[in-house]
């Protein structure tokens, strides 16, 4: 099939099944372009809950599709590639969290949305990269536990008086962006602004101009007065930023900052998802109920 034929068939199947396509900012350009909505992980899950369509093809990684399913259990949520996961989310299991919590009796656990439904179910509150600090501040205790991202925990810790005890997880894509990348780009583009995601290492955060979640980058891209911006996150977001503001030159902080799980989905897997109703995301009711409490507390904050 040619690309044109694949796109035409996807459009046909969407109508036939009353389906809609959501894509994360890190998806390949073709998938971003075929999607009805592109956004960050929480935006997409919240969007899913407001849509009238009954079938959601969620082009992202597993925890994102799970969050969408938890917020709209009556819909069919399809993740086009079964093995599209998040290695950081896999750095802590519910059993490990249960054991770890025993060392800190009575302390509240905040879990980054990049975590499994089971880990969310074992946590008190959920957060995203854009609201981690607000969620930490909302906890009525001076000490909080934070899983799984140590870099996001560190970023929140530098802005609060509370003590944050982090789990030792990280995102390999962001953790592999180093100070040398920032210094090299500063030399190469002395006029440019540098933005980084809070999943980056503390020494990188120290040297960039602004720290934004992917959703915040998208908003800032539309209104920035800079003519060149260096982007310190997964490179595929540049496709989205460039579309939003063609006047600005967006340059990757590290050209090889690629999340291989995000790259597993392509137009053919989207087509297969629609044709074969696969892969359906299911969450046991008891896990959903507990995990949803942590997510809803975050939404209320
Ligand atoms: P956002 O929540 O900003 O979309 O980021 C998700 C993610 O996986 C970052 O690596
Ligand atoms: Fe997970 Fe990192 Fe990929 Fe985001 S970029 S989905 S945190 S591995």
């Amino acid at each position: 099939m040619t690309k044109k034929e694949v796109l035409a068939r996807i459009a046909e199947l969407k109508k036939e099944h009353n389906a809609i396509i959501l894509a994360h900012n890190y998806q390949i350009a073709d998938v971003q372009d075929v999607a009805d909505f592109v956004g960050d992980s929480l935006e997409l899950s919240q969007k899913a809950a407001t849509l009238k369509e009954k079938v959601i093809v969620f082009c992202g990684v597993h925890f994102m599709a799970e969050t969408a399913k938890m917020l709209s259990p009556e819909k069919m949520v399809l993740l086009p590639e079964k093995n599209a996961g998040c290695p950081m989310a896999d750095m802590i299991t519910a059993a490990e969290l249960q054991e770890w919590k025993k060392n800190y009796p009575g302390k509240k656990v905040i879990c980054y949305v990049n975590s499994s439904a089971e880990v969310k179910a074992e946590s008190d509150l959920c957060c995203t990269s854009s609201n981690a600090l607000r969620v930490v501040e909302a906890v009525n205790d001076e000490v909080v536990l934070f899983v799984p991202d140590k870099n996001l925990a560190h970023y929140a810790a530098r802005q609060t008086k509370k003590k944050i005890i982090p789990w030792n997880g990280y995102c390999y894509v962001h953790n592999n962006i180093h100070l040398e990348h920032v210094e090299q780009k500063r030399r190469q583009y002395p006029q440019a602004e540098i933005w980084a995601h809070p999943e980056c290492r503390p020494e990188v955060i120290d040297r960039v101009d602004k720290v934004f979640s992917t959703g915040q980058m998208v908003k800032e891209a539309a209104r920035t007065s800079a003519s060149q911006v260096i982007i310190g996150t997964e490179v595929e977001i540049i496709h989205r930023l460039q579309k939003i503001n063609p006047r600005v030159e967006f340059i990757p902080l590290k050209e090889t900052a690629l999340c291989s799980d995000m790259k597993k989905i392509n137009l053919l897997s989207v087509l297969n998802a629609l044709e074969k109703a696969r892969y359906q995301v299911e969450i046991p009711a008891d896990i959903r109920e507990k995990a949803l409490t942590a997510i809803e507390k975050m939404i209320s904050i």
Side-chain angles (χ1 to χ4, degrees):
M1 268 173 125
T2 63
K3 183 171 166 185
K4 208 169 151 199
E5 286 165 343
V6 172
L7 290 172
R9 185 75 186 122
I10 288 175
E12 243 170 53
L13 287 165
K14 266 174 56 185
K15 253 196 216 141
E16 196 178 305
H17 298 305
N18 188 21
I20 195 151
I21 303 173
L22 306 184
H24 188 265
N25 292 320
Y26 296 163
Q27 289 289 297
I28 62 168
D30 276 353
V31 173
Q32 288 191 32
D33 293 345
V34 81
D36 299 284
F37 294 98
V38 183
D40 69 24
S41 48
L42 190 72
E43 260 167 21
L44 292 178
S45 300
Q46 289 184 303
K47 183 84 198 164
T50 65
L51 296 169
K52 60 177 187 345
E53 285 79 3
K54 295 280 170 282
V55 177
I56 293 166
V57 180
F58 200 111
C59 303
V61 293
H62 191 253
F63 79 83
M64 298 179 183
E66 255 187 358
T67 310
K69 178 71 182 175
M70 288 193 274
L71 289 170
S72 26
E74 71 296 346
K75 293 187 178 144
M76 183 189 283
V77 177
L78 303 172
L79 180 66
E81 286 291 339
K82 196 156 68 188
N83 298 324
C86 167
M88 170 160 69
D90 295 339
M91 284 181 185
I92 186 163
T93 64
E96 284 168 334
L97 178 52
Q98 270 172 356
E99 273 309 300
W100 192 55
K101 282 197 297 191
K102 287 182 189 159
N103 301 322
Y104 308 96
K107 295 299 162 204
K108 296 267 190 285
V109 178
I110 299 176
C111 69
Y112 186 23
V113 69
N114 295 40
S115 54
S116 67
E118 288 80 5
V119 165
K120 289 186 178 78
E122 282 297 324
S123 303
D124 297 286
L125 286 133
C126 189
C127 78
T128 70
S129 49
S130 54
N131 64 20
L133 176 64
R134 250 179 300 151
V135 173
V136 167
E137 291 290 1
V139 175
N140 192 14
D141 196 339
E142 288 316 298
V143 179
V144 291
L145 309 180
F146 195 101
V147 301
D149 187 8
K150 64 176 178 184
N151 289 334
L152 182 59
H154 193 280
Y155 178 63
R158 55 168 81 202
Q159 302 167 78
T160 177
K161 290 201 169 72
K162 291 185 197 274
K163 180 174 163 62
I164 303 179
I165 303 176
W167 183 258
N168 190 24
Y170 58 88
C171 162
Y172 73 97
V173 179
H174 292 89
N175 209 56
N176 280 335
I177 297 176
H178 294 281
L179 195 51
E180 300 83 82
H181 296 111
V182 181
E183 282 168 355
Q184 192 261 326
K185 284 292 190 289
R186 279 252 186 254
R187 283 194 297 276
Q188 201 178 347
Y189 301 97
Q191 308 302 328
E193 256 188 22
I194 307 190
W195 302 352
H197 194 278
E199 286 176 16
C200 289
R201 292 166 172 271
E203 64 271 24
V204 168
I205 297 289
D206 280 340
R207 289 284 292 126
V208 301
D209 300 309
K210 290 174 183 160
V211 180
F212 292 136
S213 67
T214 68
Q216 289 167 335
M217 285 186 191
V218 167
K219 288 192 188 86
E220 284 298 315
R223 56 184 178 220
T224 182
S225 55
S227 54
Q228 285 180 321
V229 181
I230 313 286
I231 297 297
T233 190
E234 218 273 359
V235 297
E236 215 83 52
I237 196 175
I238 290 180
H239 178 70
R240 175 113 198 260
L241 302 179
Q242 209 60 80
K243 257 182 156 177
I244 290 169
N245 195 341
R247 186 191 54 77
V248 180
E249 186 187 1
F250 293 99
I251 301 151
L253 177 52
K254 183 184 173 200
E255 289 74 8
T256 54
L258 284 158
C259 172
S260 54
D261 282 81
M262 285 283 181
K263 304 296 161 276
K264 288 178 178 167
I265 296 173
N266 54 39
L267 289 180
L268 282 180
S269 43
V270 172
L271 177 61
N272 277 329
L274 283 161
E275 250 168 6
K276 299 175 183 146
R278 74 183 194 192
Y279 294 90
Q280 294 185 34
V281 178
E282 296 296 349
I283 301 151
D286 56 329
I287 299 286
R288 174 181 175 266
E289 201 180 311
K290 287 198 234 161
L292 208 50
T293 310
I295 296 171
E296 280 169 351
K297 271 194 210 151
M298 166 186 75
I299 292 172
S300 74
I301 293 165

